[in-house]
């Protein structure tokens, strides 16, 4: 049975760029019905721009990756998440854009799947938040 989870850019980018965690990242889409804040689109577009600039990813391929993003992930308006995200960011001295994913997971009562181990360490003890890392079973 598939269940829902929030997914962040650290997982989604690995769908398009090979690294040791790519297989685990791809498996996330089979394991969960995925949601993400609308912010994900801008984060992935920026990461793909870096891949174009520094790794030689063809622009047309990057555009196809970006175009197909929302066929796998349901996007959620992130503006209502900003107060909770700002509170988390201020409490833990962390960038707000990462905390938007945390706020969504907490609001929905579902796990956040992340490949960002720094984020997982920093927020792993937050009440009401369940984190699943690419290193988790």
């Amino acid at each position: 049975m598939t269940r829902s989870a929030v997914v962040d850019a650290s997982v989604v980018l690995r769908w398009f760029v090979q690294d040791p965690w790519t297989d685990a990242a791809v498996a996330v889409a089979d394991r969960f019905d995925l949601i993400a804040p609308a912010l994900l689109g801008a984060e992935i577009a920026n990461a793909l721009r870096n891949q174009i600039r520094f790794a030689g990813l063809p622009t047309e391929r990057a555009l196809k990756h970006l175009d197909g993003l929302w066929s796998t992930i349901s996007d959620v308006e992130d503006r209502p998440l900003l107060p909770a995200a700002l509170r988390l960011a201020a409490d833990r001295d962390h960038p707000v854009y990462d905390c938007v994913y945390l706020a969504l997971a907490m609001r929905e009562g579902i796990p956040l799947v992340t490949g960002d181990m720094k984020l997982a360490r920093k927020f792993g003890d937050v009440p009401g938040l369940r984190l699943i890392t690419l290193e988790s079973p």
Side-chain angles (χ1 to χ4, degrees):
M1 179 175 160
T2 306
R3 54 195 173 119
S4 296
V6 175
V7 66
D8 71 9
S10 69
V11 173
V12 174
L13 182 61
R14 287 177 166 103
W15 296 352
F16 313 124
V17 177
Q18 292 292 314
D19 81 356
W21 297 107
T22 296
D23 290 342
V26 170
V28 168
D30 293 330
R31 186 173 168 201
F32 296 101
D33 290 326
L34 300 175
I35 67 170
L39 166 70
L40 176 74
E43 284 201 281
I44 293 300
N46 191 62
L48 290 170
R49 180 202 63 90
N50 287 336
Q51 289 297 308
I52 291 166
R53 183 170 180 210
F54 299 114
L57 180 69
T59 301
E60 290 306 312
R61 180 183 273 167
L63 289 167
K64 284 183 182 181
H65 291 327
L66 189 61
D67 186 49
L69 189 63
W70 304 118
S71 65
T72 306
I73 302 168
S74 297
D75 65 321
V76 175
E77 171 61 41
D78 47 29
R79 191 168 123 191
L81 301 167
L82 293 177
L86 178 57
R87 184 175 307 279
L88 286 164
D91 288 349
R92 301 285 172 119
D93 189 27
H94 197 81
V96 171
Y97 54 82
D98 282 348
C99 294
V100 172
Y101 296 92
L102 298 165
L104 177 59
M106 292 172 72
R107 184 186 80 183
E108 298 298 316
I110 59 178
L112 167 63
V113 183
T114 185
D116 183 342
M117 295 311 298
K118 180 179 177 184
L119 178 119
R121 283 188 300 276
K122 192 174 254 193
F123 291 94
D125 66 343
V126 172
L129 176 64
R130 179 164 174 239
L131 292 171
I132 298 172
T133 66
L134 293 180
E135 295 178 352
S136 301

